[in-house]
Amino acid sequence: MQFSRLGKLTPVVYITPVTLCGAVIQKTTGFNYQYIKENCIGKGSNITVCRSGAVIPYIVKVNSKSNFLNIPQTCPYCGSDLEVDGVNLVCTNRNCEGYSSNNLLYFLNTVSPIDGLGDKLLQNFINHFKLKTVLDFLTFIKNYDNDFELIRYCKLTNGLGNSAFKKFKKLK
């Protein structure tokens, strides 16, 4: 499960690795709670997967259903109860770290994109500096004076370096 940008938990379906359009696919979206439940997608299911636009893997057809549905009862991020809201599962904790962190990641990708930094590097940055919300990030950028720690972080993180440091500094 992972949070959508709207705070809904989206099921992730792990599959036996398959090569599609030159890429090895190991997981696909399960769309929503209701889709997984109605189609009995679980361990042992047989599904047909394609890559939408030759990029995003998704389930085209459920060939055989499973008797084993592993629907979570608690949030994988904060441990709070999950509830059904329409076709989705949502966390009952409105201050859940998973939801806040995902909102921040969405903000960084859309409102304040940092060219060349993908989700994994941005998530690493968010975790390293213990940023939880968009307000945390904006406060961090406005008040952060410790260039040494930012340089150290960029140098020690695989995939980053001087250019990433300059990109972070441009945000000020």
Side-chain angles (χ1 to χ4, degrees), residues 52-65:
S52 175
V55 178
I56 301 168
Y58 75 98
I59 299 170
V60 177
K61 181 180 175 189
V62 178
N63 302 313
S64 66
K65 298 181 177 192

Side-chain angles (χ1 to χ4, degrees), residues 1-28:
M1 293 282 210
Q2 64 186 22
F3 270 104
S4 74
R5 66 181 178 85
L6 301 174
K8 298 168 182 147
L9 284 160
T10 303
V12 177
V13 178
Y14 291 89
I15 61 174
T16 302
V18 60
T19 302
L20 294 174
C21 302
V24 177
I25 306 301
Q26 297 179 6
K27 61 185 177 178
T28 182

Side-chain angles (χ1 to χ4, degrees), residues 128-129 144 146-158 160-162 165:
H128 179 82
F129 289 103
Y144 195 73
N146 190 350
D147 284 353
F148 176 75
E149 178 58 24
L150 190 55
I151 290 170
R152 182 176 168 277
Y153 166 75
C154 289
K155 292 279 188 184
L156 295 177
T157 302
N158 189 22
L160 298 179
N162 285 338
F165 171 73

Side-chain angles (χ1 to χ4, degrees), residues 123-139:
Q123 191 65 57
N124 187 312
F125 174 82
I126 290 166
N127 294 341
H128 179 82
F129 289 103
K130 297 175 178 47
L131 305 173
K132 306 262 188 243
T133 65
V134 172
L135 183 59
D136 288 348
F137 173 75
L138 294 173
T139 302

Side-chain angles (χ1 to χ4, degrees), residues 64-135:
S64 66
K65 298 181 177 192
S66 173
N67 293 328
F68 178 75
L69 294 181
N70 187 16
I71 305 295
Q73 303 300 309
T74 59
C75 176
Y77 297 92
C78 72
S80 297
D81 290 338
L82 296 177
E83 63 183 23
V84 177
D85 180 15
V87 298
N88 299 294
L89 282 178
V90 295
C91 179
T92 56
N93 176 4
R94 298 300 170 222
N95 296 312
C96 179
E97 187 176 315
Y99 176 69
S100 299
S101 174
N102 200 50
N103 270 347
L104 176 53
L105 190 59
Y106 179 72
F107 173 83
L108 290 173
N109 281 322
T110 56
V111 177
S112 183
I114 305 170
D115 290 340
L117 299 182
D119 283 358
K120 287 186 180 182
L121 290 174
L122 287 173
Q123 191 65 57
N124 187 312
F125 174 82
I126 290 166
N127 294 341
H128 179 82
F129 289 103
K130 297 175 178 47
L131 305 173
K132 306 262 188 243
T133 65
V134 172
L135 183 59

